[in-house]
């Protein structure tokens, strides 16, 4: 062991390429700045105008998505069939990866907060009304609110103004907990850093009265979640401090991250049994199965992939089995992971012992992500615990202080 490593505390080794993808995402967001204002306007219009999406009949097979659907704008999405519309709409929210490796510079570059348990949704206020839509596109509530242009009253602001919030609706206290702000009074924030979005959210939301108790023109209360810098004190507070909602794990946001539609490694979710009721996935009966289960998407060539971009291939089904089972490309299929488990090589999937169980619930919008599969796998075999996170933060702070001391000495 090298002399400088003698007193170095143990740090959990990386089991994936999650850190490399984080760095790539930061570079890509700087290179791929889109017309955020136009996208926000279209998204608001779609949330308001898209009809309620009913499930397709069981006898009606889902059609393969056309190539043009991949680049569809939000207005065109309203013309899609239910299955395609659910899949498209699910990709408009920013979805965190599951924390399978501890990020570098966790204490300096990340925020942390406890995630409320409930229904994730977009909330849009415009034209004197407010609508919330779940990640599958279906309407949760249509109601008046104190958000800008969110109710038909004089002091609600210009009717054409629109705002978009990323929320979790908590059933227990009938409250929308706002975890991010996508657009405010026509000003898009999707290309702003999380640090700025959280500052804007905290300074603007309370001004409207949206955090007030419900009233005639404000049916549901909105509330902020306490956000902390991810140092030792902040991480411990997010984990253990009391909050008015039921916790469902911790969310970590990179301070420099933009609001990226789809799955991003610049936002992470982590759980244990002390901060979530649902650490391990359950079956249709609410029971934790003996073997881990995963949901994958069937491709044209028989490959079974995750919802990531690009997708991770977990296996392949034989053409004769696909034909005999009446399966089609785009189907979401459920598998169990057998005793052979999951094998990684240099952070990449080498093989997985998959056993076919059947089709997934038709209400599902997408397959599991690779990070979710790996998080669930690690929970069963070698879980990342809170003391490991706290130790990692402490190591990061100590190294930063040492670097400062060296600079001062120099």
């Amino acid at each position: 062991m090298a002399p400088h490593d003698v007193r170095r505390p143990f740090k959990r080794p990386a089991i994936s390429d999650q850190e490399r993808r984080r760095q790539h995402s930061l570079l890509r967001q700087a290179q791929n700045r889109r017309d955020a204002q136009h996208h926000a306007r279209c998204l608001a219009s779609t949330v308001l105008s898209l009809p309620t999406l009913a499930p397709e009949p069981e006898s009606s097979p889902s059609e393969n998505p056309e190539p043009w659907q991949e680049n569809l704008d939000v207005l065109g999405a309203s013309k899609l069939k239910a299955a395609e519309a659910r899949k498209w709409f699910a990709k408009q929210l920013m979805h965190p990866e599951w924390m399978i490796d501890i990020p570098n510079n966790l204490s300096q570059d990340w925020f942390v907060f406890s995630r409320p348990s409930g229904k994730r949704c977009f909330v849009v206020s415009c034209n004197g009304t407010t609508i919330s839509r779940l990640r599958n596109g279906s309407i949760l509530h249509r109601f008046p609110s104190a958000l800008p242009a969110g109710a038909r009253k004089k002091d609600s602001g210009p009717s054409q103004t629109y705002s978009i919030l990323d929320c979790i609706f908590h059933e227990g206290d009938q409250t929308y907990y706002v975890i991010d702000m996508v657009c405010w009074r026509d000003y898009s924030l999707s290309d702003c850093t999380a640090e700025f979005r959280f500052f804007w959210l905290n300074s603007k939301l309370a001004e409207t009265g949206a955090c007030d108790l419900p009233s005639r023109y404000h049916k549901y209360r909105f509330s902020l979640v306490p956000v902390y810098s991810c140092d030792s004190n902040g991480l411990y507070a997010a984990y253990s401090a009391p909050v008015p909602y039921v916790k469902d794990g911790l969310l970590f946001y990179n301070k420099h991250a933009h609001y990226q539609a789809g799955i991003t490694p610049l936002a992470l979710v982590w759980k244990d049994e002390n901060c979530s009721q649902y650490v391990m996935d359950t079956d249709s009966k609410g029971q934790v199965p003996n073997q881990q289960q995963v949901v994958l998407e069937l491709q044209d060539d028989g490959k079974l992939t995750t919802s990531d971009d690009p997708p991770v291939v977990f296996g392949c089904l034989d053409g004769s089995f696909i034909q005999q089972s009446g399966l089609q490309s785009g189907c979401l299929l459920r598998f169990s992971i057998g005793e052979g488990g999951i094998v990684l090589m240099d952070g990449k999937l080498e093989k997985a012992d998959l056993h076919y169980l059947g089709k997934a619930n038709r209400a599902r919008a997408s397959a599991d992500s690779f990070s979710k599969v790996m998080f669930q796998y690690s929970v069963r075999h070698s879980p990342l615990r809170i003391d490991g996170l706290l130790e990692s933060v402490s190591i990061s702070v100590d190294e930063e202080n040492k670097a400062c001391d060296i600079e001062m000495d120099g």
Side-chain angles (χ1 to χ4, degrees):
M1 181 179 289
H4 64 276
D5 287 335
V6 171
R7 297 187 184 88
R8 183 178 178 84
F10 171 77
K11 186 175 181 180
R12 177 188 171 103
I15 61 172
S16 77
D17 63 345
Q18 199 170 47
E19 181 61 34
R20 181 189 63 78
R21 289 184 289 102
R22 273 191 283 272
Q23 298 304 320
H24 178 70
S25 293
L26 285 170
L27 289 174
R28 186 172 56 182
Q29 74 178 15
Q31 297 167 353
N32 297 338
R33 294 182 69 89
R34 62 185 176 182
D35 185 353
Q37 200 70 35
H38 173 73
H39 183 85
R41 186 178 296 110
C42 290
L43 180 56
S45 176
T46 301
V47 172
L48 293 170
S49 62
L50 190 67
T52 299
L53 301 177
E56 292 178 339
E58 192 70 33
S59 59
S60 173
S62 60
E63 298 178 3
N64 297 338
E66 298 293 337
W68 56 266
Q69 290 181 10
E70 298 298 321
N71 298 315
L72 195 66
D73 66 18
V74 278
L75 294 179
S78 62
K79 300 176 182 178
L80 293 176
K81 292 185 178 180
E84 286 79 16
R86 283 197 298 271
K87 184 179 294 186
W88 179 91
F89 203 91
K91 294 179 179 179
Q92 304 313 303
L93 283 162
M94 184 170 77
H95 297 290
E97 287 195 6
W98 291 71
M99 185 186 287
I100 49 181
D101 287 328
I102 300 174
N104 295 335
N105 302 318
L106 182 61
S107 62
Q108 295 89 29
D109 292 342
W110 292 77
F111 292 117
V112 61
F113 58 93
S114 58
R115 180 170 72 168
S117 176
K119 298 176 180 177
R120 180 85 180 277
C121 56
F122 271 135
V123 175
V124 173
S125 61
C126 186
N127 292 325
T129 190
T130 305
I131 291 179
S132 57
R133 282 190 183 271
L134 302 175
R135 56 180 294 174
N136 65 4
S138 60
I139 292 178
L140 177 59
H141 297 131
R142 186 190 299 268
F143 60 101
S145 77
L147 295 173
R152 299 186 183 279
K153 59 177 185 174
K154 293 181 180 180
D155 59 350
S156 186
S159 62
Q160 296 303 314
T161 296
Y162 61 93
S163 299
I164 308 174
L165 302 177
D166 186 344
C167 300
I168 295 175
F169 182 71
H170 187 255
E171 294 279 358
D173 56 6
Q174 295 287 288
T175 297
Y176 281 94
Y177 286 93
V178 187
I179 62 172
D180 213 330
M181 179 179 280
V182 184
C183 182
W184 188 254
R185 296 187 187 274
D186 293 349
Y187 176 66
S188 175
L189 295 150
S190 59
D191 280 345
C192 299
T193 65
E195 193 165 25
F196 180 81
R197 295 198 310 275
F198 289 161
F199 163 76
W200 202 255
L201 174 60
N202 276 275
S203 61
K204 297 297 180 182
L205 189 66
E207 294 177 0
T208 64
C211 298
D212 295 345
L213 294 175
S215 60
R216 178 181 178 184
Y217 292 105
H218 183 55
K219 187 173 182 179
Y220 295 101
R221 185 188 178 202
F222 289 78
S223 183
L224 298 169
V225 297
V227 178
Y228 305 92
S229 288
C230 197
D231 53 24
S232 298
N233 292 333
L235 178 57
Y236 187 76
Y239 181 72
S240 60
V243 288
Y245 50 81
V246 176
K247 293 182 181 180
D248 186 25
L250 300 182
L251 276 174
F252 298 80
Y253 273 41
N254 187 287
K255 295 179 180 180
H256 311 291
H258 296 174
Y259 192 95
Q260 303 176 21
I263 302 172
T264 173
L266 298 178
L268 301 169
V269 61
W270 173 88
K271 298 180 180 182
D272 73 1
E273 62 278 1
N274 292 321
C275 67
S276 176
Q277 302 177 60
Y278 311 104
V279 179
M280 286 197 286
D281 285 346
T282 57
D283 57 22
S284 59
K285 298 179 181 178
Q287 303 297 316
V288 176
N290 292 329
Q291 292 182 316
Q292 180 183 348
Q293 296 183 6
V294 299
V295 174
L296 302 169
E297 182 175 350
L298 179 64
Q299 304 298 326
D300 288 328
D301 55 3
K303 290 180 179 177
L304 301 164
T305 63
T306 64
S307 58
D308 301 272
D309 182 19
V312 177
V313 178
F314 262 73
C316 189
L317 288 182
D318 181 77
S320 59
F321 177 81
I322 294 174
Q323 188 174 11
Q324 292 171 7
S325 303
L327 304 177
Q328 295 188 8
S329 175
C331 284
L332 297 179
L333 308 178
R334 186 173 294 276
F335 297 83
S336 64
I337 297 178
E339 294 181 358
I342 296 175
V343 179
L344 300 177
M345 185 69 68
D346 296 328
K348 302 284 187 179
L349 178 67
E350 186 76 10
K351 62 180 180 179
D353 184 13
L354 298 179
H355 297 266
Y356 180 65
L357 297 176
K359 291 183 178 180
N361 190 313
R362 292 180 65 86
R364 282 196 64 134
S366 60
D368 287 333
S369 66
F370 175 70
S371 64
K372 178 181 179 181
V373 175
M374 292 309 303
F375 183 88
Q376 291 291 316
Y377 189 76
S378 68
V379 166
R380 290 172 177 265
H381 297 86
S382 178
L384 172 58
R385 302 190 184 280
I386 187 62
D387 53 357
L389 283 171
L390 287 167
E391 184 179 28
S392 177
V393 169
S394 298
I395 292 172
S396 181
V397 171
D398 288 344
E399 290 177 345
E400 183 184 16
N401 291 337
K402 288 178 183 178
C404 291
D405 291 341
I406 292 172
E407 290 179 4
M408 292 177 66
D409 293 340

